[in-house]
Every structure is written in C-alpha cells, then in structure tokens.
Amino acid sequence: MDLVFRDAEVVDGTGGPSYRADVAIDGGRIAAIVQEGAAAGCQRPTARRVVDAEGLALSPGFIDMHAHSDLALLRDPDHSAKAAQGVTLEVLGQDGLSYAPVDDRTLAEVRKAITGWNGYGDDIDFDWRTVGEYLDRLDRGIAVNAAYLIPQGTVRMYAVGWDDRPATGSELDRMRQLVAEGMEQGAVGMSSGLTYTPGMYAKDAELTELCRVVARYGGYYCPHHRSYGAGALEAYEEMVRLTREAGCALHLAHATMNFDVNKGRAPELLALLDEALDAGADISLDTYPYTPGCTTLVAVLPSWASEGGPEAVLTRLRDDATAERIRHHLEVLGSDGCHGVPVDWDTIEISGVSEPALAEFVGRRVDGWPTARRLLLEDRLGTTILQHVGHEENVRTIMRHRVHTGGSDGILQGLKPHPRAYGTFPRYLGRYVRELGVLTLEDCVAHLTSRPAARLGLTDRGRIREGYRADLVLFDPETVGAGATYDSPRTLPTGIPHVLINGEFVMEDGRRTTALAGRSIRRTR
C-alpha cells in the first residue's frame, strides 16, 4: 500500500457511529479498512508510509456546496483558505454570475459586475469561453477539486443583455441551448442570483424552462432566491413550486432567514420544506455557521438602478436627481436588492475595496448614503460588504435539518473578508459540535460529506468505503476549530494536520504541500 492511517477513529460520512480502524490508501483510492477487533487471521495493512492516527478522527473530505473560488483557484495555487479547512471539493459558478459560458462582450461585462467577488482578473488569462473549456483549464491542476454550476445571470447577459424585460422566443431558445451545452460539457446544474442583475429580471416561466433543460441532464437548480428578508418564505415557496413544475432537483443556496422581520422564523421555513419533501420533492440546502452575510455594496441597490449594466449604474450614481431616487428606495421604500427591507446603514461594514486609496474605509460601518455613493463611484462598484442581519437561533435551527449541507459562500477578495471563507468547516466541528452540541460529530460529518456528494451525483466520494477516492481529512476532535475571526479573517484553522485529495497530501503536518491534486468534477449521465 502507499499509505496507512493507523488506529484512526473513522467517522465514515454515513452518520453512523464512528469506529476505530486502520485505513489503507493505494493508487489514490481507499484500498482496505480493517476495524479494531477484526476476525482472527485478518492482517493489519502495511504500507510504505504509516501515519499514527491515535486520538484523531478520519473523515471524508469536506464539500463546500457554495464557493466563490472561480478565479482564486487559478490565481493562487496554494489556496490554503480551503485546503487547510479540509475542503477537498468546491462548487463554483454560484449566484447566477460567473465566467462561462461567455462571448467577448459578456466576459468583459461579468468581470466588471463581480469584481468585488473575485477581483477584476487582470492576473488571469481568460483563455476559455465555454463551460467545457473552463473545466479543461481547471484540469491543468488546482489545489482542490471543483464542480461548476451554469450561471443563469451570465446566460441571460449573453442572450438578452441587461434589459429588464421578458426574453423573446429566440432569446429563450438561445438560453436553453447555452444551458444544454454547459450540462453536456460537465456542469452539475444551474445557479441563479435573483437579487442580482441581470438574472433577477427573469420571470418564473423563463426560469422554469431553463430548469427543464437542467432536469433532462440530471442536474439541480441552485437559486439565491428573490428575498432573504421581507417575503423570504414566499420566495422559498416560489422556488419549490417552480422546480416541482419543471421536474428539477432543488438546492437552496445559503438558506438563511435574515433581517428583523425573520427573527425566530426558521421553523416556518423548515415546515414548508418538510411538506414538500414528504410529498416527493427533491430538495437540499446549504448554510454557513455565521450570522452576517457578505456581498457587494452595489448589490443592495434597487434593480432598476442596475439595468443596462455596470457603466449605466455609474452614470445614474453621478446624476444627483437619480442618486436621490436610489437613496429613497434604499432608506424609505426598501430596495429589492436589499431584500425588500429599508437599509440600516449601521449593519453594513466595508470588508474590501478594489481601489487602494479607499483602504481607510475597510472595517468601518457605512455612516449613510453619501459615503455609500462615494464608495460606489470611486471604487467603480468593486466594494464588498459584511451585512450584520442574521440571527443565531435561525442558524442553529436550520443546520439540524435532514437535508442540510455546508457551504462557505466564501468571498476571498478584500482586506477584511468574511471569516467564513477560511473558517466554515472547522467552525462547524469546533463550535457547533464540540462546544455547543448542536450536532453530533457523526451527523455533522455526514452534513459536510455524504449529503453533498449525493446531491452532486458522486458515486465514489463522500464516504470512507473501500474503492472510494481517497479524499480524506484527519483532524483532532478536541482541538479542531476556526482560527479566522472578524478581526483576523485570514487565520488558518487549528486541529487539522492532514488533508488528502486523490490520495495525495495537500496538507501535511498542518502545512500546505506543493501538490495540485485537484481536478474538475464533471457530471455524467
């Protein structure tokens, strides 16, 4: 054998009781599992390297169901932000906005639109245009494995543009074609950002037609739905109804209940989902174990202010009368970009800027519309924010649910990013398992491994089982925890000495190796 973990406490991802065993790795796969007290005559496996795992837990690699590493995986071979957490697979293409499929015009526009998420990309050679070409680029070698969702907003940008109107028949046909091509090339499903333009301009009928294409290929729909604030329950119900009509599996992105209007209302959401599940719906969801959200400052503007694309937004912001109208929608009426809730500037903290001259604002709360307007203009919409609008009781209630999985929603840009980018998975294990007992260790690992693997249709990942890929995490249940905090958001976690992807050490003795063991994970029929 290549490697044996000796005397590990195996938490196998099924949710069943852990057990003590030797686990042998050979050729990138789990070759043997010999439990303590195995029948007489069953030899303990030997290998060229033996790791003493006494007192440590061995689990499948963690799957980040909501990641924003679309360019980070290409720009940063180290990518310790995720590798050090034990993440062995990330799902990219989230919130309806990413970099494939595109033509030259669409690529230029989407790069501007999500500069705050991923940077503008001056350091990236955008040598792809299709989903398949992007996945091929990942296959040159990346830190962790990656799957991809077709971004519905980018597809609409490509076929329709930035207009707030229904698609024509020919435009809808083009969108169907783009989605079908992306699925054929290996995408696992389609995402939407229905509080982000231009994806939010799509009505339910249009989304249903695209979901029918996704369903034909066995993929799933992952919407950032139309509201996490006022009308959140109605927005969730809309997604359940839409996907059931389309016959498409549904995975709800960062399924939170935020803002004061939703405090303590998580049980209502779960009741809605349970009713649909019991009636045969195929639903799953992900969350991160924190209360603040994270997005771009421009995202909170009313949708009408973003029609026409980034340059049109900047033109409106420069005009005093239009800027005053935007302020009125934000502060008085409640912007659809801010989930129908009048903005409370004190809840918005600047986490990153693209323009270095504005760095003094990072870490500060926005003190009103004049400051927000200045940042939007001078940073050319590249400002990212933390939005302190969540509720701990909702977070704990939702993470217990039977279809819950983990997703960091980690934006890696900015001087002071959300700590979830570096801390989501060890925080689940340290804070919510060891310290609070919200989940058992076995149940939590299942949430982070086998459940997301099942959603992605993976038949050889997500469990510790002979023949499965050796995507593995060895951690100390007594010390594992997030090092990242709001003050020091890039601090790496504790208690995770070893991480393997396809049998290669990407973390060894707590340090990042030089291995680029990750590849694209493509859905097949």
Side-chain angles (χ1 to χ4, degrees), residues 44-115:
R44 303 186 78 175
T46 59
R48 286 180 286 277
R49 177 175 179 183
V50 176
V51 173
D52 181 5
E54 177 76 34
L56 301 178
L58 184 69
S59 82
F62 306 135
I63 297 176
D64 188 342
M65 287 296 287
H66 193 104
H68 287 283
S69 303
D70 306 50
L71 299 185
L73 277 167
L74 302 178
R75 112 176 1 111
D76 178 19
D78 181 80
H79 202 50
S80 288
K82 295 302 179 65
Q85 293 186 59
V87 171
T88 58
L89 169 58
E90 299 183 272
V91 184
L92 313 177
Q94 300 286 349
D95 295 326
L97 291 166
S98 190
Y99 305 93
V102 292
D103 56 10
D104 291 350
R105 172 191 61 80
T106 307
L107 177 61
E109 291 175 352
V110 78
R111 287 175 65 182
K112 292 178 183 177
I114 52 175
T115 294

Side-chain angles (χ1 to χ4, degrees), residues 374-422:
R374 175 189 169 187
L375 283 167
L376 288 164
L377 284 168
E378 295 184 15
D379 208 26
R380 296 191 61 81
L381 314 182
T383 305
T384 53
I385 61 172
L386 301 186
Q387 202 164 7
H388 296 267
V389 292
H391 306 284
E392 178 67 17
E393 64 269 39
N394 285 347
V395 170
R396 296 189 194 186
T397 299
I398 294 170
M399 74 170 62
R400 293 188 183 101
H401 195 263
R402 54 178 161 151
V403 298
H404 170 267
T405 68
S408 71
D409 195 13
I411 293 175
L412 299 167
Q413 286 292 113
L415 296 174
K416 196 173 179 285
H418 197 303
R420 68 193 185 193
Y422 284 73

Side-chain angles (χ1 to χ4, degrees), residues 398-475:
I398 294 170
M399 74 170 62
R400 293 188 183 101
H401 195 263
R402 54 178 161 151
V403 298
H404 170 267
T405 68
S408 71
D409 195 13
I411 293 175
L412 299 167
Q413 286 292 113
L415 296 174
K416 196 173 179 285
H418 197 303
R420 68 193 185 193
Y422 284 73
T424 286
F425 294 86
R427 181 171 169 85
Y428 268 119
L429 297 169
R431 175 80 174 145
Y432 290 95
V433 172
R434 184 180 63 247
E435 296 176 9
L436 298 177
V438 174
L439 299 169
T440 67
L441 179 61
E442 291 87 350
D443 193 25
C444 184
V445 168
H447 288 223
L448 308 180
T449 59
S450 64
R451 285 189 193 174
R455 167 52 72 214
L456 294 168
L458 306 179
T459 58
D460 62 354
R461 301 178 194 268
R463 299 188 182 198
I464 295 182
R465 180 174 289 177
E466 290 181 0
Y468 271 47
R469 300 270 186 177
D471 292 358
L472 299 168
V473 183
L474 190 70
F475 63 92

Side-chain angles (χ1 to χ4, degrees), residues 310-325:
E311 291 304 320
V313 179
L314 293 168
T315 298
R316 293 185 181 101
L317 287 166
R318 292 186 191 103
D319 179 75
D320 289 342
T322 308
E324 171 57 23
R325 185 181 168 208

